[in-house]
Amino acid sequence: MGKLIRRIARPATALQLRHVAPVPPGRAGRPVTAVYRQVERDFGMLAPPVALHAVAPPALAAAWAMLREALLAPGAVERDVREVVAAGVSQVNRCPYCIEVHGSALAGLLGGADARAVLVGGLAELRDARLRRVADWAVHGGPPPFPAEHAPELVGVFVVFHYLNRMVNVFLPESPLPPVPTPVAAALRRGAARLLGGLARTVVVPGEAPGLLPPAPLPADLSWAAGRPHVSAAFARAAAAVQAAGERSVPTAVRQLLAAQLPRLDTPPPALGEPTWFDAAVAALPVPDRAAGRLTLRIAFASYRVTDDDVARVRAAGYDDRALVELAAWSSLAAARHLGARALPGPATR
């Protein structure tokens, strides 16, 4: 059954990608093949949010390492709690694709009334008070409703989905499901919940994904990961790989601009239109850097607003597939790291 799912998922993954060419498993080089094998073995299929990175192999390994070790690898926190965080963060970032996938995975894990509630009404309908508290933290922040020893896994999921949501909003469609009438869509969601809930019960060995990347020290802003060696190794190595990608593909002036503007993430963006500072910030860049600057800021602050024209401007400035993915990955992780460093504002509670 697993082989059949993998065989069906591969072409479906390729069809979902936007703006970049797929890298088919049969034509992938050794670094990409190594990641693909782990993804299919441990996730059950070649997940599009991971596969979209394949044109930039270090970013591919980084995305997978963070996702695997924070969400999939067993630890102190149950998988349903982690899926609540994934779905809650995806709601914040207006990422319907990830809401669909991780809401379905959560429903499949929960079963019963809570599963039906999640499929119909989302996290707000959860009956389990413990899960509702974690969902509220993922969406609204505040003191964490979990002990400090759970931070590496739950803040890890929080950070990796702030990263992945941004990438998905740029490179994947709004839904993994085909456009179908509502009754058919409901049936597909129930089927997806059964499938993804089953796949989420797969037991993986912690610590295998970081080996896809060279060793690196844990940056200070990722200190929340220090309590779980496989999580800290994954995020340290991923951060180094994505930083190197940014130094290759993001102009220095753009990197400096985003670093200066990141504190603005601490306040919500306006509901419509650009924030008042956005156009002035882009205009202050050297002319050759403005297309990259516009896309970088939009990905970091409101990835759901990225347009085909934003991508076309960067393409016209000379960006190929790899450079485009590396720019998006650097911007996405810069924002995710900033938010993760502020995810534990007070003492953790049980």
Side-chain angles (χ1 to χ4, degrees):
M1 183 66 176
K3 288 183 179 179
L4 177 61
I5 292 172
R6 290 194 290 271
R7 193 174 299 121
I8 293 170
R10 286 177 177 180
T13 293
L15 290 172
Q16 288 185 23
L17 299 190
R18 302 173 63 242
H19 304 308
V20 293
V23 179
R27 296 205 294 273
R30 184 175 298 176
V32 173
T33 298
V35 177
Y36 279 4
R37 284 175 179 164
Q38 278 198 19
V39 175
E40 291 190 326
R41 181 194 69 192
D42 297 340
F43 201 79
M45 65 181 71
L46 187 56
V50 177
L52 68 84
H53 296 78
V55 293
L60 172 71
W64 170 241
M66 292 187 291
L67 178 66
R68 184 191 190 275
E69 303 304 331
L71 181 67
L72 276 62
V77 182
E78 298 88 346
R79 179 66 178 270
D80 59 351
V81 181
R82 302 189 214 192
E83 290 289 351
V84 163
V85 176
V89 171
S90 300
Q91 178 181 318
V92 170
N93 293 319
R94 305 186 195 183
C95 181
Y97 188 106
C98 294
I99 292 170
E100 189 80 63
V101 170
H102 293 281
S104 293
L106 177 61
L109 286 167
L110 294 175
D114 259 344
R116 291 191 293 274
V118 168
L119 287 175
V120 173
L123 299 179
E125 302 302 318
L126 281 168
R127 300 184 181 188
D128 186 319
R130 176 185 58 115
L131 294 180
R132 279 203 315 276
R133 287 194 295 270
V134 173
D136 186 71
W137 169 79
V139 174
H140 302 293
F146 50 81
E149 58 266 28
H150 291 181
E153 293 160 23
L154 293 182
V155 179
V157 174
F158 179 91
V159 170
V160 75
F161 277 88
H162 271 294
Y163 170 80
L164 284 174
N165 291 162
R166 287 166 166 80
M167 298 297 289
V168 168
N169 277 340
V170 176
F171 294 105
L172 294 180
E174 287 194 354
S175 175
L177 301 177
V180 292
T182 300
V184 178
L188 286 175
R189 288 190 178 93
R190 291 192 296 271
R194 288 192 294 271
L195 172 63
L196 294 172
L199 293 176
R201 293 182 177 90
T202 301
V203 177
V204 306
V205 178
E208 292 190 354
L212 297 164
L213 292 164
L218 186 70
D221 66 303
L222 301 179
S223 60
W224 47 262
R228 303 290 290 180
H230 63 282
V231 177
S232 61
F235 279 83
R237 297 179 187 210
V242 174
Q243 181 61 30
E247 291 171 1
R248 275 192 301 273
S249 296
V250 185
T252 300
V254 174
R255 285 186 276 117
Q256 292 172 341
L257 174 61
L258 180 57
Q261 298 295 341
L262 280 175
R264 294 181 186 273
L265 278 170
D266 300 333
T267 57
L272 297 172
E274 301 289 6
T276 54
W277 56 267
F278 186 93
D279 289 333
V282 173
L285 290 168
V287 173
D289 296 343
R290 288 179 186 171
R294 177 176 293 277
L295 181 58
T296 295
L297 290 178
R298 276 201 172 164
I299 289 171
F301 286 90
S303 58
Y304 52 88
R305 291 184 183 146
V306 170
T307 66
D308 290 348
D309 183 60
D310 291 326
V311 175
R313 290 184 187 188
V314 170
R315 289 293 202 184
Y319 279 65
D320 60 12
D321 281 6
R322 177 168 181 159
L324 176 62
V325 167
E326 289 189 335
L327 179 150
W330 180 83
S331 176
S332 296
L333 192 57
R337 288 173 64 172
H338 176 89
L339 293 166
R342 286 153 177 73
L344 301 174
T349 57
R350 291 187 183 274

